[in-house]
């Protein structure tokens, strides 16, 4: 995944779906050729400024009013602190883990973590030549219904205790077929910067559809010790064996006087119906606010798009432009919109329709990339003993994802 190193400029200015996808899926996944329904973007091959012409109608790629942003080369860049020497003697402690997570890198594949759980229990610690200390321990927890959790914890501290890191790996399973692989790590350095990250990959059988499902998630957070800066991200992906797919992310960031947020989601029902949406906004301490949002829904070539770009000045003066498209599936598209500066349009044009009917990374892809998860071996089940299944009295409500608006500071 291409990583945005350090603390970069918030994702605003030109609000483009391509930008969102680039941020969303720069995670090392192999991008396969997508099956598309034909659509013609109103801005395709044109200067974006032409999209503001009421005769062509704006698209969701319209520009937000020009704003001044902090330089993308921010000082908020974590330095790599060497807690331990990389050239460690044989049978010494684990190598240091002093690297904070990087922004906009999505959900890593399991192979990128290198999770390697010991078969035997361990409990050891030591001191390196530079005075830094380390520890490593591992074990196994057992519970009802065949539950087993194999885990390994490690960490270390600098000689003056100003720098510290911790990392935990685990795999879980039970007799229902549930399997989980996960990592959690955290750290801090001498300059006061700190970070936390967790990653999970889960295989289970959906109790209502009886289908196998794989879910992947990642949460990341970092704070600067020198500036009023920090960021938080929550990413998730869900897949089932019939093609149902859900993906999304919630993000929050702050750099001195400026804060920004981003939320996006994608839903594919496996039968051709899709829903995609994005909502981004930012604000400064002096009261300037701006943002952009859009949504699209399609099925069998018929659907709609709509969105809004807006800006609020410190004086509370508000500018906005709203737009919409109705795609009838017959080569006709109804385009309409208006703005607070008096623009308006309402036309029907001859235009083909393009949209992504299938996720570019789906069930077959995630199964192929989850070898370690699928190879987890549950405890042996005694003859005549069956797993306990609790289906409840009604289907579970939709999952509530973490709200990224909470300040990570």
């Amino acid at each position: 995944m291409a990583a945005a190193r350090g603390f970069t400029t918030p994702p605003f200015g030109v609000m483009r779906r391509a930008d969102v996808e680039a941020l969303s899926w720069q995670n090392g996944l192999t991008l396969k050729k997508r099956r598309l329904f034909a659509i013609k973007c109103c801005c395709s091959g044109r200067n974006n400024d032409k999209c503001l012409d009421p005769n062509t109608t704006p698209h969701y790629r319209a520009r937000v009013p020009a704003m001044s942003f902090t330089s993308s080369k921010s000082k908020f860049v974590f330095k790599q602190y060497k807690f331990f020497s990389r050239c460690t003697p044989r049978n010494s402690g684990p190598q240091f883990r002093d690297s904070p997570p990087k922004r906009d890198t999505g959900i890593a594949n399991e192979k990128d973590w290198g999770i390697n759980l010991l078969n035997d229990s361990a409990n050891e610690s030591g001191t390196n030549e530079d005075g830094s200390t380390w520890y490593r321990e591992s074990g196994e927890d057992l519970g009802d219904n065949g539950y087993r959790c194999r885990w390994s914890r490690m960490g270390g501290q600098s000689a003056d205790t100003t720098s510290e890191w911790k990392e935990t790996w685990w795999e879980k399973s039970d007799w229902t077929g549930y399997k989980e692989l996960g990592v959690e790590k955290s750290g801090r350095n001498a300059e006061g910067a700190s970070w936390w990250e967790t990653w999970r990959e889960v295989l289970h059988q959906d109790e209502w559809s009886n289908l196998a499902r794989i879910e992947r998630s990642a949460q990341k957070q970092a704070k600067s010790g020198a500036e009023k800066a920090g960021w938080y991200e929550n990413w998730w992906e869900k897949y089932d064996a019939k093609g149902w797919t859900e993906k999304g992310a919630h993000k929050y960031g702050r750099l001195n006087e400026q804060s920004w947020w981003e939320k996006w989601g994608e839903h594919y029902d496996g039968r051709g119906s899709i829903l995609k949406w994005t909502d981004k906004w930012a604000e400064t301490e002096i009261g300037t606010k701006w943002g952009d949002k859009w949504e699209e829904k399609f099925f069998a070539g018929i659907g709609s798009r709509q969105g809004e770009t807006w800006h609020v000045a410190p004086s509370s003066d508000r500018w906005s432009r709203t737009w919409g498209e109705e795609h009838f599936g017959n080569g006709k598209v109804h385009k309409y919109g208006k703005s607070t500066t008096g623009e308006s349009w309402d036309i029907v044009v001859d235009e083909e329709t393009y949209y992504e009917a299938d996720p570019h990374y789906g069930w077959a892809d995630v199964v192929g990339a989850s070898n370690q998860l699928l190879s987890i071996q549950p405890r042996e089940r005694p003859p005549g003993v069956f797993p306990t299944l609790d289906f409840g009295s009604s289907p579970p409500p939709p999952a509530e994802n973490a709200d990224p608006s909470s300040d990570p500071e």
Side-chain angles (χ1 to χ4, degrees):
M1 307 191 297
R5 298 184 181 275
F7 204 90
T8 59
T9 301
F12 292 99
V14 181
M15 304 297 175
R16 301 185 299 172
R17 177 63 187 168
D19 293 337
V20 176
E21 291 181 344
L23 293 177
S24 308
W25 306 117
Q26 291 173 350
N27 56 1
L29 307 180
T30 301
L31 299 182
K32 298 195 172 182
K33 188 174 181 180
R34 310 177 184 180
R35 178 165 70 86
L36 303 176
F37 277 83
I39 282 189
K40 205 168 183 182
C41 169
C42 72
C43 301
S44 178
R46 301 181 183 178
N47 186 309
N48 280 343
D49 294 337
K50 292 184 179 180
C51 295
L52 307 184
D53 186 343
N55 295 322
T56 59
T57 77
H59 197 263
Y60 58 81
R61 298 183 178 180
R63 291 182 180 271
V64 181
M67 297 296 300
S68 175
F69 287 95
T70 306
S71 169
S72 61
K73 296 184 178 180
S74 166
K75 295 180 181 179
F76 183 38
V77 178
F78 287 105
K79 296 181 180 179
Q80 301 299 302
Y81 288 86
K82 294 187 177 180
F83 299 162
F84 314 121
S85 171
R86 287 192 182 276
C87 299
T88 53
R90 195 169 186 174
N91 298 325
S92 65
Q95 290 186 354
F96 66 95
R97 306 280 200 271
D98 63 348
S99 299
K102 298 179 175 65
R103 289 187 56 227
D104 285 323
T105 52
I107 305 174
N109 285 326
E110 60 181 32
K111 65 180 181 180
D112 298 324
W113 283 104
I115 300 171
N116 185 17
L117 297 170
L118 300 176
N119 292 324
D120 301 321
S121 296
N123 190 349
E124 53 187 349
S125 60
T127 303
N128 296 307
E129 293 180 0
D130 62 359
S132 59
T133 58
W134 60 268
Y135 68 89
R136 176 169 50 204
E137 55 189 10
S138 62
E140 180 178 89
D141 300 328
L142 304 178
D144 297 336
N145 214 27
Y147 172 83
R148 176 167 67 179
C149 175
R150 298 174 60 222
W151 53 268
S152 180
R153 283 193 291 263
M154 64 196 80
Q157 238 180 22
S158 61
D160 61 3
T161 71
T162 59
S163 300
E164 181 181 23
W165 66 273
K166 300 177 183 179
E167 188 162 338
T168 303
W169 302 338
W170 68 85
E171 66 172 39
K172 300 178 181 180
S173 62
D174 65 21
W175 291 335
T176 69
Y178 179 90
K179 298 181 179 183
E180 178 181 322
L181 195 64
V183 174
E184 181 175 359
K185 67 177 185 178
S186 61
R188 58 182 175 85
N189 62 33
E191 294 186 352
S194 61
W195 54 89
W196 169 84
E197 180 176 10
T198 186
W199 172 92
R200 291 174 67 241
E201 190 174 52
V202 173
L203 168 70
H204 68 98
Q205 182 177 351
D206 183 81
E207 60 264 35
W208 300 105
S209 67
N210 211 33
L211 293 172
R213 177 175 288 190
I214 292 179
E215 300 181 5
R216 309 194 317 151
S217 62
Q219 295 186 64
K220 311 173 190 184
Q221 177 177 304
K223 294 190 293 183
S224 169
E227 297 178 286
K228 191 176 182 181
W231 58 269
Y232 167 81
E233 296 179 353
N234 180 23
W235 301 73
W236 65 92
E237 300 173 359
K238 302 178 182 180
Y239 309 84
D240 78 13
K242 280 196 171 181
W244 177 90
T245 303
E246 177 184 303
K247 304 180 182 184
H250 288 179
K251 309 177 191 179
Y252 166 79
R254 180 170 186 170
L255 179 57
N256 297 324
E257 75 285 352
Q258 185 169 300
S259 301
W260 62 93
W261 295 258
E262 178 185 353
K263 299 182 180 182
W264 64 264
E266 298 180 357
H267 303 264
Y268 304 82
D269 72 351
R271 298 185 295 271
S273 178
I274 67 111
L275 166 64
K276 294 184 180 183
W277 60 275
T278 294
D279 192 0
K280 302 180 181 182
W281 68 102
E283 62 182 41
T284 65
E285 290 183 350
I286 64 173
T288 303
K289 301 178 183 180
W290 64 103
D292 180 271
K293 60 184 178 181
W294 60 266
E295 177 187 88
E296 66 176 34
K297 300 178 181 178
F298 282 96
F299 177 70
I302 300 173
S304 64
R305 288 192 177 99
Q306 58 186 3
E308 179 184 16
T309 301
W310 57 273
H311 170 259
V312 179
S315 61
S316 297
D317 291 337
R318 190 177 194 278
W319 171 91
S320 71
R321 176 186 288 114
T322 57
W323 60 269
E325 298 178 356
E326 294 178 290
H327 294 255
F328 303 114
N330 59 0
K332 301 289 186 180
V333 179
H334 175 210
K335 298 187 176 186
Y336 57 92
K338 61 182 180 179
S339 75
T340 54
T341 55
E343 296 173 294
S344 65
W345 57 94
D346 191 335
I347 59 175
V348 176
V349 299
D350 294 323
E351 186 174 282
E352 294 182 356
T353 298
Y354 288 103
Y355 68 93
E356 298 170 333
D358 301 308
H360 71 269
Y361 189 88
W363 173 255
D365 302 289
V366 74
V367 168
S370 303
N371 293 331
Q372 189 171 357
L373 173 70
L374 300 177
S375 65
I376 294 175
Q377 295 298 317
R379 291 165 56 189
E380 184 176 350
R381 182 162 52 89
V385 176
F386 301 97
T388 302
L389 302 175
D390 182 12
F391 293 99
S393 57
S394 61
E400 292 292 335
N401 296 298
D403 183 357
S405 61
S406 57
D407 192 326
E409 298 185 24

